[in-house]
Amino acid sequence: MATPVLDKVEAESAASPYITVTMRIRRFNPEVSDASVWEDFQIEIDPKERVLDALHKIKWDVDGTLTFRRSCAHGICGSDAMRINGKNRLACKTLIKDINPEKPITVEAIKGLTVLKDLVVDMEPFFQAYRDVMPFLVTKGNEPTRERLQSAEDRERFDDTTKCILCAACTSSCPVFWNDGQYFGPAAIVNAHRFIFDSRDEAGEQRLEILNDKDGVWRCRTTFNCTDACPRGIEVTKAIQEVKRALITRRF
Amino acid sequence: MSADTSAAIGPVEGGSHYDVENPAPYIEAPRKRTGKTPRATRGNFEMAAWLFMRLSGVVLVVLVLGHLLIQLFLDGGVSKIGFAFVAGRWASPFWQVWDLLMLWLAMLHGANGLRTVINDYAERANTRLWLKGLLYTATVFTILLGTLVIFTFDPNIR
Ligand code: HEM
Ligand code: SF4
Ligand code: FES
């Protein structure tokens, strides 16, 4: 009984899972040059590992100057959105085997935000747009002595947009945002949606007015890049359309 | 860039005079958001423009496809088009209204579409101003000229 299992383990360890992958990373270091350049790194990696592991291997074993953000390494903190093979993804949620490791894997900073170094961008304009939509509960009257109750249906109404981790993958995949950073961007609209459609909140009208501005929802051109990019699977474009509809019908 | 993995970024043409004391400028994004966004300025104009694009689009499907069908396919196609053909159609108020509506809707729809494109792509405020000035002038001129022709058309002119 035990023999076949042993055989299998031996066979597996005999065939090494490691493959050689070329990581083509767009480097920028203002202390060296004003230009960004593509640099190739050849590394041995198990294809079941992630792009983040590949970046770690490079940073820890090959070139310590490689600079990128990451914190949780498990798709929760939203630190490591980057443009991998031309698509915005979280490095910590992208497996090497899923992005054709036979060819060089390109990794660059997300677009539309100022590049500070290598893969690190200035997120301030992104968070400014987030703050501008008042992403907090606003209510009138006295504070209740117990929690603010809500029916399951009312909670369901905005469930999708509560999942956002503010990684900026959507906003930095939007061509309107690339051209004009004044646009609020999908992430800010998603987080406004989360409160506009919350039955407990009372500032929906105010947030709608903010997004009715010339750099608000009307700049959206329904490209669907944001929905494709979101690592949380949020239907971002749909949320933007729901805000547009609420603005037209004033029902939310 | 070869497979050289040992070095960090090598000296790049024209960029080597930057160092720790004298760093290069960051790679900036165009028209970055700064500070608090200014408050709404134009009321519901953007919403009206958005709605207009969709409503006029729906009407234009009928008007433009009908127009193309009549002009290019039915009754011998383009070869039939001439002064007499146009005069014959504009004798009827129905086709006058059709063409007038198509003129106004297509021009306003196209102009508003190009306004969006200019807002997207023209980075400097001055470029935007001039391009939009040119756009609005051309739009007003074409709409007025077309309207004038439809209303004052004289089939007996020579
Ligand atoms: C045939 C029926 C038509 C339909 C259904 C239609 C529909 C639309 C819609 C819905 C938009 C808005 C796109 C967006 O904001 O995401 C649009 C944009 C535009 N339309 Fe039309 N349209 C039609 C005909 C025309 C005509 C005849 C012209 C030219 C005179 C035109 C020129 C434009 C331009 C320049 C844009 C802006 C493109 C952009 O936003 O990138 N369209 N159209
Ligand atoms: S909506 Fe999705 S892609 Fe956009 S910031 Fe939130 S988690 Fe990231
Ligand atoms: S490191 Fe936290 S989301 Fe990827």
Side-chain angles (χ1 to χ4, degrees):
Chain A
M1 273 291 246
T3 325
V5 178
L6 240 150
D7 277 355
K8 207 175 152 203
V9 170
E10 267 168 10
E12 262 178 18
S13 61
S16 160
Y18 283 77
I19 58 167
T20 305
V21 173
T22 304
M23 300 297 292
R24 181 165 293 168
I25 302 177
R26 189 158 193 174
R27 310 285 311 265
F28 170 67
N29 183 351
E31 292 176 357
V32 173
S33 162
D34 59 352
S36 61
V37 287
W38 290 99
E39 189 178 1
D40 281 7
F41 296 92
Q42 232 105 43
I43 51 162
E44 302 290 311
I45 195 164
D46 182 337
K48 293 190 291 299
E49 289 190 274
R50 307 157 302 169
V51 171
L52 183 65
D53 300 312
L55 294 177
H56 278 151
K57 267 184 208 263
I58 296 169
K59 184 168 179 71
W60 293 337
D61 302 339
V62 185
D63 182 351
T65 67
L66 180 67
T67 308
F68 55 91
R69 285 197 185 103
R70 75 99 172 81
S71 181
C72 69
H74 291 84
I76 288 302
C77 71
S79 310
D80 62 343
M82 43 190 84
R83 205 166 141 86
I84 300 168
N85 279 354
K87 250 189 95 177
N88 282 2
R89 314 166 200 248
L90 292 181
C92 63
K93 280 184 85 172
T94 309
L95 298 188
I96 298 286
K97 72 179 174 64
D98 292 339
I99 50 172
N100 190 14
E102 274 101 68
K103 287 211 193 128
I105 294 169
T106 64
V107 181
E108 55 191 308
I110 47 178
K111 299 215 311 172
L113 294 161
T114 298
V115 181
L116 302 180
K117 189 178 179 187
D118 291 347
L119 306 174
V120 175
V121 297
D122 178 12
M123 297 281 280
E124 197 43 39
F126 172 80
F127 285 119
Q128 185 62 50
Y130 172 61
R131 285 191 291 267
D132 284 350
V133 299
M134 309 195 296
F136 38 79
L137 187 79
V138 180
T139 57
K140 292 192 276 287
N142 294 328
E143 217 170 292
T145 48
R146 31 190 245 127
E147 71 268 42
R148 298 169 197 273
L149 292 178
Q150 183 171 46
S151 70
E153 298 82 67
D154 282 348
R155 177 60 179 71
E156 185 57 32
R157 181 66 193 84
F158 60 94
D159 185 65
D160 202 31
T161 45
T162 61
K163 297 176 193 156
C164 178
I165 56 173
L166 291 169
C167 64
C170 55
T171 295
S172 64
S173 76
C174 175
V176 177
F177 182 78
W178 294 339
N179 288 319
D180 187 355
Q182 298 297 313
Y183 173 42
F184 274 85
I189 300 171
V190 158
N191 286 280
H193 178 286
R194 186 250 168 269
F195 286 98
I196 290 170
F197 294 93
D198 185 338
S199 61
R200 298 163 297 186
D201 185 84
E202 290 171 50
E205 199 64 47
Q206 215 174 324
R207 290 193 193 87
L208 282 181
E209 233 17 271
I210 292 169
L211 292 177
N212 197 18
D213 197 4
K214 71 174 165 55
D215 295 312
V217 286
W218 307 117
R219 297 211 64 175
C220 164
R221 312 273 273 289
T222 348
T223 314
F224 279 94
N225 278 17
C226 47
T227 302
D228 285 346
C230 182
R232 305 285 295 161
I234 298 172
E235 294 180 285
V236 183
T237 312
K238 185 177 169 202
I240 300 175
Q241 299 308 308
E242 286 177 359
V243 173
K244 285 180 189 166
R245 184 187 299 160
L247 265 166
I248 290 170
T249 61
R250 291 287 163 171
R251 259 183 279 120
F252 50 90
Chain B
M1 295 294 103
S2 65
D4 176 16
T5 54
S6 56
I9 306 172
V12 176
E13 241 179 88
S16 49
H17 55 283
Y18 295 110
D19 56 32
V20 181
E21 266 80 53
N22 175 33
Y26 292 132
I27 302 175
E28 299 267 349
R31 289 189 280 168
K32 214 165 37 159
R33 194 184 198 87
T34 44
K36 189 84 184 160
T37 329
R39 283 302 106 218
T41 39
R42 298 159 80 186
N44 274 342
F45 179 76
E46 292 299 331
M47 179 168 105
W50 186 89
L51 268 175
F52 172 76
M53 287 309 268
R54 272 130 258 267
L55 297 178
S56 61
V58 169
V59 181
L60 277 171
V61 169
V62 179
L63 292 179
V64 173
L65 290 186
H67 178 80
L68 292 178
L69 198 69
I70 293 162
Q71 302 286 316
L72 307 180
F73 294 104
L74 302 181
D75 263 338
V78 272
S79 57
K80 64 166 188 272
I81 299 179
F83 188 85
F85 178 73
V86 175
R89 284 184 74 220
W90 276 352
S92 147
F94 177 80
W95 294 115
Q96 276 190 331
V97 170
W98 181 295
D99 281 1
L100 192 70
L101 205 61
M102 192 166 68
L103 170 74
W104 278 72
L105 288 183
M107 283 308 292
L108 293 177
H109 177 103
N112 189 49
L114 285 182
R115 182 185 69 96
T116 319
V117 173
I118 293 171
N119 277 340
D120 274 355
Y121 289 107
E123 268 174 37
R124 273 174 299 154
N126 246 334
T127 322
R128 268 209 299 283
L129 188 77
W130 280 104
L131 285 177
K132 282 194 210 168
L134 190 70
L135 172 69
Y136 297 153
T137 315
T139 308
V140 169
F141 176 78
T142 312
I143 289 183
L144 287 185
L145 184 67
T147 310
L148 184 77
V149 169
I150 293 176
F151 278 124
T152 62
F153 178 74
D154 176 7
N156 303 314
I157 199 167
R158 52 178 70 240

